[in-house]
Amino acid sequence: MLKDKTILLGITGGIAAYKSAELARLLIKEGAAVQVVMTANAEAFITPLTMRTLTGRPVYSSLFNPSYGSATVHIDLAREPHMVVVAPATANFLGKIAAGIADDLLSTVLLAVNLKERPVILAPSMNTVMFHNAAVRENIELLRKRGYIFADPLAGVLACGDVGEGRMVEPAQLLQLIKDKFPAREDYGGLTVLVTAGPTRELLDPVRFFSNHSSGRMGYALARAARERGARVLLISGPTALEPPPGVEFHPVVSAREMYDVVMDKLFLADVIIKTAAVADYRPEETYSQKIKKGGDLLVRLVRNPDILQELGSRKGNYILVGFAAETENLLNNAHKKLAAKNLDLIVANDLTEEGAGFTYETNKVNLLYRDGHVEELPLMTKYELAHLILERIKIII
Ligand code: CTP
C-alpha cells in the first residue's frame, strides 16, 4: 500500500516518542521508506540508534553536521518525502511551527516543506492542561487553517497521572490516517467527475421548506474517492452538514432548479456524471416572500421540478451517466425502468427498507444495474468503500 512512498518521520521530545518506533515499524511493513529527523529533546526519550536500526537509514538531528555531506540538508529532507509526519508533536514544537521559528533541523525542515505538494500530519502529545491552554489551542487552529493535518490526541490517563485529552494517537491509527491520505490508485487521472449530492430544499416562505432525509454522505464519499483516484471533481451539493472533501471544486446550491442550472453550466467539463442527489420532484408553486401566518387550513399546490437526470440522459454526449434509485418497493423493477427511461449507463439501486442502507447511515447495501441488463448484488459496506467500488465499475465501462 505504501510501496514507493517515502515518509519523513519527525520526532520531538515527549514520552510518546517510544510510539514512533512502532509507527516506523508499521510504515516499513507497509512498504514505505522512513526517514527520521529527531530533535535534541527527542533523543532524551528514544535513541537515534533505535530509529536507525528500525528504518535502515541514518537519522538526522543537527542543522550543521559536516558528515551529512550536503550543506542544505534541511531543503533536501523537505523535498524528498511524499509526506511528513511529526509524532509526537510537543506544545513547544507546534508553537514554533505556528510562529515560523526554525531553530533546529526539524523545525527548519517543516518550514521548507511545500504544503501544496506534500501533506504534513501533526500528532500532538502533551499534558491535558497544556493541550487546552489558549496558546496551544490557537496555534493548532492556525496550523489547521494553513493546511496542516492533525491526528487529534486521545483522552485517557496521561504519563503525569492526569486524566484527559493529550495522549498521542496509537501508531495503528496514525498508520491508517497516513494510508488514507494517499490515493488508492490514480486511475482517474485526466478525467473530470461531476457529482451531485444531498437533498434540495424547496422554499415555501422564508422559514419553511420541503425537503427529504438525504445526508449527502454517499455523494461526498464518491467525490472524495474520485479525487483520491486522481480525478478533477465538481461537487454540486444541496444543503448538508458535511465538509466538502479536500481538493474538490464545491458548488453549493439550495433548490432543484439551482442544481439544474449549475449542472447544465458545468456539463461540458464532465467525463463522468454521478447523480446521487435526492432532488425534490416537486416545489411549492408559490414561494411567499413573508412568513405565512397561521389561519385556517392551508392548501399548498406543488408543481413539478425539472428532472435533471432525465435531461442529462436525453442530451447524452460523451459522458458516462450514473443514477441512483431510492426505492421502498419493487427495487429492481423500478430501477430498471429508471435506467431505461433516463438513458443511463449504470444505476445504483438503493432499497430504503434494508437495515443499514439509505439516507442516514454510514453504510449502504445496493444493487448495480447495468445497461445490458446485468445486475450485481453487493453486500453491506461503508459508503466510502462503495464509492471506490462504483468508481472501479465505471472505469470498466469507460
Ligand atoms: N433525479 C434528478 N432530478 C429529479 C429527480 C431525480 O436528477 N428531479 C435523479 C436523482 O439524482 C437520482 C435519480 O434521478 O439519480 C432517481 O431519483 P429517484 O428519486 O429515485 O427517482 P425519480 O426519478 O424521482 O422517480 P420517483 O420519485 O417516481 O421514484
Side-chain angles (χ1 to χ4, degrees):
M1 174 79 189
L2 296 175
K3 211 171 153 290
D4 306 325
K5 299 281 185 267
T6 302
I7 314 275
L8 186 139
L9 175 58
I11 309 177
T12 69
I15 179 62
Y18 76 93
K19 292 187 186 175
S20 335
E22 173 66 0
L23 177 63
R25 202 185 62 76
L26 293 175
L27 288 167
I28 284 164
K29 220 168 119 195
E30 292 281 339
V34 179
Q35 176 58 61
V36 173
V37 177
M38 295 172 78
T39 63
N41 286 344
E43 290 184 15
F45 288 92
I46 186 165
T47 71
L49 183 62
T50 306
M51 298 313 297
R52 184 193 179 118
T53 311
L54 281 170
T55 62
R57 284 182 165 224
V59 169
Y60 292 87
S61 51
S62 159
L63 258 174
F64 312 107
N65 185 335
S67 75
Y68 293 162
S70 164
T72 54
V73 69
H74 59 295
I75 304 295
D76 302 342
L77 287 168
R79 281 188 189 149
E80 188 203 10
H82 297 93
M83 178 188 284
V84 175
V85 181
V86 182
T90 58
N92 177 55
F93 187 75
L94 297 177
K96 285 205 292 188
I97 302 306
I101 293 172
D103 64 351
D104 63 4
L105 181 62
L106 186 57
S107 51
T108 310
V109 169
L110 267 275
L111 209 59
V113 167
N114 183 345
L115 277 178
K116 291 200 183 77
E117 288 172 2
R118 41 187 67 78
V120 176
I121 299 182
L122 302 171
S125 165
M126 66 198 74
N127 166 278
T128 190
V129 180
M130 292 169 76
F131 183 63
H132 288 288
N133 180 291
V136 175
R137 304 303 324 149
E138 281 173 24
N139 287 335
I140 290 179
E141 281 326 304
L142 185 65
L143 290 168
R144 260 194 233 279
K145 277 194 205 122
R146 289 183 189 158
Y148 291 87
I149 300 159
F150 276 83
D152 292 324
L154 309 168
V157 181
L158 306 175
C160 55
D162 278 5
V163 178
E165 266 172 304
R167 220 178 79 209
M168 191 177 104
V169 284
E170 293 305 321
Q173 290 167 290
L174 205 41
L175 176 72
Q176 193 52 50
L177 182 66
I178 293 167
K179 281 163 70 177
D180 286 350
K181 297 292 162 207
F182 285 113
R185 309 140 212 98
E186 287 273 353
D187 55 354
Y188 275 72
L191 295 175
T192 299
V193 177
L194 187 158
V195 180
T196 69
T200 63
R201 280 184 188 170
E202 311 301 325
L203 304 190
L204 175 63
D205 70 13
V207 294
R208 303 180 179 95
F209 54 82
F210 289 85
S211 191
N212 56 63
H213 288 300
S214 171
S215 64
R217 286 200 185 106
M218 192 63 238
Y220 279 57
L222 275 158
R224 179 177 158 204
R227 183 74 199 107
E228 286 173 355
R229 299 171 86 111
R232 173 181 177 189
V233 179
L234 312 176
L235 174 61
I236 303 168
S237 174
T240 74
L242 305 174
E243 281 279 313
V248 311
E249 293 163 45
F250 184 59
H251 300 276
V253 296
V254 177
S255 68
R257 283 184 297 175
E258 276 174 44
M259 184 174 278
Y260 177 92
D261 288 344
V262 180
V263 170
M264 294 308 152
D265 191 40
K266 301 289 172 197
L267 183 58
F268 73 99
L269 293 167
D271 299 296
V272 176
I273 301 180
I274 312 178
K275 281 229 70 234
T276 56
V279 184
D281 289 320
Y282 294 92
R283 68 174 182 277
E285 185 173 39
E286 186 177 353
T287 300
Y288 294 82
S289 58
Q290 302 299 332
K291 187 183 165 207
I292 301 171
K293 289 299 196 187
K294 68 173 163 298
D297 291 349
L298 178 69
L299 198 64
V300 176
R301 194 178 141 81
L302 298 176
V303 294
R304 278 290 301 269
N305 265 331
D307 187 323
I308 306 170
L309 192 55
Q310 183 95 46
E311 178 71 27
L312 290 171
S314 66
R315 292 185 183 200
K316 197 158 182 297
N318 288 330
Y319 47 81
I320 297 286
L321 192 53
V322 179
F324 273 65
E327 307 292 346
T328 54
E329 57 181 354
N330 301 330
L331 177 71
L332 294 183
N333 210 357
N334 282 334
H336 265 303
K337 282 190 197 146
K338 283 180 192 169
L339 177 98
K342 301 194 185 192
N343 194 18
L344 309 179
D345 295 290
L346 171 67
I347 193 157
V348 183
N350 233 322
D351 183 346
L352 296 181
T353 61
E354 281 256 13
E355 184 62 28
F359 287 152
T360 49
Y361 293 95
E362 287 292 351
T363 50
N364 213 350
K365 186 172 180 328
V366 303
N367 287 272
L368 303 183
L369 282 69
Y370 297 84
R371 212 184 172 89
D372 63 4
H374 149 211
V375 178
E376 187 180 4
E377 189 181 345
L378 298 175
L380 187 75
M381 61 181 86
T382 65
K383 289 184 173 171
Y384 178 66
E385 287 168 320
L386 178 60
H388 273 294
L389 194 145
I390 291 171
L391 290 168
E392 256 158 45
R393 299 299 189 267
I394 294 173
K395 200 67 217 301
I396 296 169
I397 304 174
I398 298 175

